Amino acid sequence: MKTNNQDQVTRNLLQFCYHCEDAHLCTTEEMCKACWAENGVYEADTEAKGAEETRKLLQSYYA
């Protein structure tokens, strides 16, 4: 099952931006992602890593 990208962004906003004093400066999703990456709380290829990990896990179960 694939998570909706908007749900991921919303969850990240709540988790990473709620206490940020500069949250008002991020007006677009791209700016938020850049801020998260700059602060080491976001990896753009996380979904690809998760898919690869799941694939390997399923292969080990059914191989």
Side-chain angles (χ1 to χ4, degrees), residues 9-28:
V9 171
T10 301
R11 186 175 70 212
N12 286 346
L13 283 171
L14 290 172
Q15 183 177 359
F16 303 132
C17 298
Y18 185 75
H19 297 288
C20 179
E21 293 179 8
D22 296 327
H24 66 283
L25 299 175
C26 295
T27 58
T28 65

Side-chain angles (χ1 to χ4, degrees), residues 6-63:
Q6 184 61 37
D7 292 342
Q8 179 72 32
V9 171
T10 301
R11 186 175 70 212
N12 286 346
L13 283 171
L14 290 172
Q15 183 177 359
F16 303 132
C17 298
Y18 185 75
H19 297 288
C20 179
E21 293 179 8
D22 296 327
H24 66 283
L25 299 175
C26 295
T27 58
T28 65
E29 181 178 327
E30 289 77 24
M31 290 176 77
C32 288
K33 287 181 178 182
C35 180
W36 299 334
E38 183 180 308
N39 291 298
V41 295
Y42 176 76
E43 293 181 24
D45 61 341
T46 302
E47 186 174 318
K49 287 179 184 177
E52 179 64 20
E53 184 177 335
T54 301
R55 185 185 66 75
K56 287 179 181 180
L57 180 64
L58 288 173
Q59 283 183 341
S60 68
Y61 285 153
Y62 298 108

